Amino acid sequence: MMATCASRHRPHFLSVVSVLSVSLWCPFPFVAVAQDEGHSTTPGQIEGRPGVREVSPLQVRIDAAAPGETVTVAAGDYVGDLIIDRPLRFVGRDRPRILGSGTGSVIRIRAADVTVEGFDIDGLEGGDLGKDTSGIHIAAPRATVRNCRIVGSIFGIYLREAHGATVEDSYVRGIPGKDPGEKGSGIHVWNTEGFRFERNQVVDVRDGFYIQSSSQGLIRHNLARDLRYGLHYMFSDDNVFEDNSFENGAAGTALMYSRRIVFRRNRFVRNRGFASVGLLLKACDDVLAEDNLIADNARGIFIEGSYRNLFRRNVVAASDTAIVLYDSSGENRFEGNSFVGNMTPLNLVGRRTDTVFAGNYWSDNDEPDLDGDGRSDRPYRLSSVFDHFRGNLTAADLFSESFAARAIGSAERTFPVLRLVPVEDAAPLVRPPNRPQVPSLDPRRRGLNWAGLLGSTVAVALGAAVLSRSRRRPRKEGRA
């Protein structure tokens, strides 16, 4: 009898869903999400010796230095560009300032084993984007840039086949007021192996770190903010990112066509452009992401055409969508992560996925834990009919908080036949785990545990809702 009743009502509810789905489509035209397609860049011609009108007076001292010598520069302003074509240490004392000619790269390293340290460098907002004009342009192995401050330059520091290069404790600020397409990257790396970037800050450039065809790198304790991409990355394998911050980007971070990348204890936060993503993987395989904070982004994690990636012990929080997952991806795994305060846990683009979700915490999971083992007694369902619409119809985002979305969700819960794409966490955690290795939302407040704070906030909110509901429930007559 129950089956008969269900079959009688099923067409009605399916028609309701169809009408609601059409209502999501009709009022607005389709809006395509502009994803970067990963076009690589080709370096310009390598600049040689500055011309007579552009050369710095410091060039005479460099030309007179013997290989391996230290050239020390006192405080003051020095106008013009220079080339270092022999191994030496070029060291500033009391922060001398080098003002470029405004026509080309200010310091050009063209010999192995060069160190540049302790300078303020100003590109005077001049040069040519197509010629890779930079504050410091390196086209030789084993260079070191340390404690330099670069402003007013199209590119900050450019590494071109600069194997074994080190950039540390430096600051790059782009040219204010320029369109991102007219700016270069803060630190740009091309066809370089064995590089190391530590404790650098990059602000107001096109891409904070642009890494192409470069492998075996170590990127630690850097900050990239107020830009387009904090990290723009392609065709680069076997690099390690630890304790970096990528924040306030118009597009977030994007990695493409690469393998065996490691992310530990990084912050991907406040990337709020229309198509922004905390961490985007496109055609990336065997990536490990652990103990990262991915918070306050339009989309937390985006995976397309990528295989065998492992996400564990991360906090993904306060984002419009926690995960965007294309069915062109496979063998990916999420385990022990905390998903807190996101508008929707998953947008699945396509019809199915073999991605495994195991033992994660979901702040909107209301399934009980009757046996007290710390896990819900029933699986947590990530996908819904409306989230399926959102994953395959961008305009549906406009209705995510609407009555139509709630009605579709209600119809799905009532009639299981509507469950088109079941994606579940089989044993979700009922409490947010302690994650001391995950960085806080504000790195200056080391004592703040972001996962714990969000978990406590959600728990208080849920408790208040339950108490409010119980107070509104009317008493039944006739009971003692």
Side-chain angles (χ1 to χ4, degrees):
M1 180 65 180
M2 292 180 64
T4 303
C5 292
S7 65
R8 289 175 181 173
H9 287 81
R10 194 170 296 159
H12 172 69
F13 275 90
L14 286 173
S15 64
V16 170
V17 173
S18 300
V19 170
L20 290 172
S21 64
V22 170
S23 71
L24 296 177
W25 174 270
C26 292
F28 295 90
F30 180 77
V31 181
V33 178
Q35 296 293 344
D36 192 299
E37 290 302 321
H39 299 298
S40 60
T41 63
T42 303
Q45 185 174 357
I46 295 178
E47 297 167 295
R49 193 176 187 89
V52 175
R53 295 183 179 181
E54 292 83 27
V55 71
S56 169
L58 297 171
Q59 187 68 56
V60 175
R61 297 186 58 190
I62 291 172
D63 292 344
E69 188 176 336
T70 297
V71 177
T72 303
V73 180
D77 289 352
Y78 303 87
V79 179
D81 307 327
L82 54 91
I83 187 170
I84 303 176
D85 56 3
R86 63 201 67 197
L88 55 77
R89 296 182 69 243
F90 187 59
V91 180
R93 300 297 183 198
D94 300 320
R95 304 216 64 84
R97 185 167 64 148
I98 301 179
L99 300 126
S101 66
T103 61
S105 295
V106 182
I107 297 178
R108 308 165 192 183
I109 297 176
R110 301 294 181 260
D113 303 304
V114 170
T115 295
V116 175
E117 178 178 356
F119 289 93
D120 288 350
I121 300 168
D122 191 339
L124 299 182
E125 303 185 5
D128 188 335
L129 182 66
K131 295 181 179 179
D132 307 329
T133 300
S134 312
I136 301 177
H137 190 286
I138 306 170
R142 299 184 300 280
T144 297
V145 176
R146 180 183 298 120
N147 191 26
C148 289
R149 180 183 177 91
I150 301 171
V151 299
S153 184
I154 295 177
F155 290 89
I157 301 169
Y158 197 112
L159 280 66
R160 173 175 175 157
E161 296 180 323
H163 309 303
T166 296
V167 180
E168 58 188 13
D169 300 306
S170 295
Y171 176 90
V172 176
R173 179 180 287 276
I175 301 174
K178 272 188 176 291
D179 185 83
E182 299 175 343
K183 299 180 181 180
S185 309
I187 298 179
H188 190 107
V189 193
W190 182 79
N191 202 23
T192 295
E193 293 186 2
F195 57 93
R196 181 166 60 89
F197 304 147
E198 295 196 70
R199 301 178 302 278
N200 302 290
Q201 293 189 42
V202 181
V203 182
D204 194 17
V205 295
R206 181 177 63 193
D207 302 332
F209 294 86
Y210 181 92
I211 301 174
Q212 180 185 334
S213 304
S214 300
S215 300
Q216 302 291 337
L218 178 61
I219 303 94
R220 296 193 301 192
H221 299 287
N222 301 284
L223 168 64
R225 63 177 175 87
D226 305 330
L227 28 65
R228 185 184 70 163
Y229 284 104
L231 172 63
H232 199 177
Y233 181 109
M234 63 190 74
F235 307 114
S236 301
D237 303 334
D238 303 298
N239 291 311
V240 176
F241 294 81
E242 294 180 334
D243 304 295
N244 304 286
S245 292
F246 305 100
E247 57 185 79
N248 198 26
T253 64
L255 293 88
M256 293 158 280
Y257 317 117
S258 303
R259 297 177 295 172
R260 298 182 301 275
I261 313 164
V262 175
F263 290 94
R264 293 192 183 99
R265 302 180 303 277
N266 300 283
R267 299 168 68 254
F268 304 90
V269 299
R270 304 188 186 94
N271 297 290
R272 280 289 179 182
F274 174 69
S276 290
V277 180
L279 179 60
L280 180 148
L281 304 180
K282 179 174 181 179
C284 290
D285 302 332
D286 303 302
V287 172
L288 171 62
E290 58 184 5
D291 299 313
N292 301 285
L293 174 66
I294 305 172
D296 193 15
N297 302 293
R299 295 159 180 82
I301 298 170
F302 182 106
I303 305 174
E304 179 183 359
S306 301
Y307 288 81
R308 299 179 304 279
N309 301 299
L310 174 59
F311 298 83
R312 65 187 179 194
R313 302 192 305 269
N314 302 286
V315 174
V316 183
S319 298
D320 298 348
T321 302
I323 303 168
V324 177
L325 179 61
Y326 276 69
D327 64 0
S328 58
S329 303
E331 303 176 61
N332 297 295
R333 185 176 182 88
F334 289 80
E335 60 181 37
N337 303 283
S338 296
F339 295 90
V340 184
N342 302 292
M343 288 179 62
T344 187
L346 174 68
N347 279 358
L348 178 60
V349 183
R351 299 189 59 82
R352 59 185 60 82
T353 180
D354 65 356
T355 301
V356 174
F357 294 90
N360 302 283
Y361 171 75
W362 309 88
S363 62
D364 59 343
N365 175 27
D366 56 4
E367 295 292 340
D369 174 24
L370 299 180
D371 58 8
D373 67 349
R375 298 176 183 270
S376 296
D377 298 326
R378 293 191 296 184
Y380 170 76
R381 220 178 154 74
L382 282 73
S383 58
S384 70
V385 170
F386 187 75
D387 288 332
H388 177 75
F389 288 149
R390 295 183 73 184
N392 294 275
L393 175 60
T394 305
D397 279 341
L398 301 171
F399 295 88
S400 59
E401 298 298 317
S402 69
F403 171 77
R406 291 193 293 271
I408 291 175
S410 177
E412 175 198 10
R413 289 189 295 272
T414 305
F415 294 92
V417 71
L418 300 180
R419 296 179 180 175
L420 300 176
V421 188
V423 182
E424 296 179 336
D425 188 326
L429 301 176
V430 296
R431 288 176 294 276
N434 185 28
R435 293 284 181 249
Q437 295 297 317
V438 175
S440 67
L441 186 61
D442 184 351
R444 294 168 296 182
R445 301 178 62 184
R446 296 184 180 179
L448 179 64
N449 185 295
W450 173 246
L453 177 61
L454 280 176
S456 300
T457 302
V458 171
V460 170
L462 290 175
V466 170
L467 288 174
S468 175
R469 185 178 299 177
S470 63
R471 288 175 180 173
R472 292 196 301 267
R473 186 178 300 163
R475 292 184 177 182
K476 294 185 178 180
E477 298 296 334
R479 291 190 177 182

